[in-house]
Amino acid sequence: MAQRVRDVMTVNPRAVGPNTPAHQVATIMRDESLKAVMVTDDGRLRGLVTDRDLTVRILADGGDVSARTVAEACGAELASVAPEDDVDRALMLMHAKELRHLPVIDNGQPVGIIALRDLTAERAPDFALDSHGAADSMA
C-alpha cells in the first residue's frame, strides 16, 4: 500500500496573516526553528513563505524592511496536496516545481505541511539535506 501525505506531514503548521510584517515572520522562523510558514486569511491558505523568500523578495531589495508584509514575500503560484494524496505525487510535484515545502489542504483548509527534507529522510535514510538544503550523503 502506498504511503499517504497524512503519514508524513507536519500537522498544525505555523500560520500568519498576509499583513504580518515580514521581519516579524523572520523572528518567528528563527525562534521556532522553521523554514516555512503558511500565510492564511480567514482560515484559507493564501500563500507559503520560506526563509529564502524573505531573503530574496524582501531583504535583498534593501532599504527599510519594517513596513514590508509577508504577502510581498509569497510566491505567485501556490501548489498543494491533500492528506490522502500519495507521497510519490507530492515528491513529483515538489520536483517539478522546485519546491522544498508543500502545504497540505483538506476541504479548502490548511491542515499540514510536507517538507522535502522529511520525505528524503523517510525514503533514503543514508541521504539527507543539510541545514541549507544541500544534499549530503550521511554514509
Side-chain angles (χ1 to χ4, degrees), residues 100 115-118 120-121 127-136 138:
R100 290 188 180 144
L116 183 58
R117 180 184 192 111
D118 299 332
T120 302
F127 183 81
L129 299 177
D130 69 16
S131 62
H132 303 290
D136 281 336
M138 294 178 63

Side-chain angles (χ1 to χ4, degrees), residues 6 9 43-44 80-84 103-112:
R6 78 169 49 258
M9 72 182 191
R44 297 279 186 199
S80 66
V81 291
E84 294 306 317
V104 181
I105 307 298
D106 191 20
N107 294 320
Q109 301 294 311
V111 295

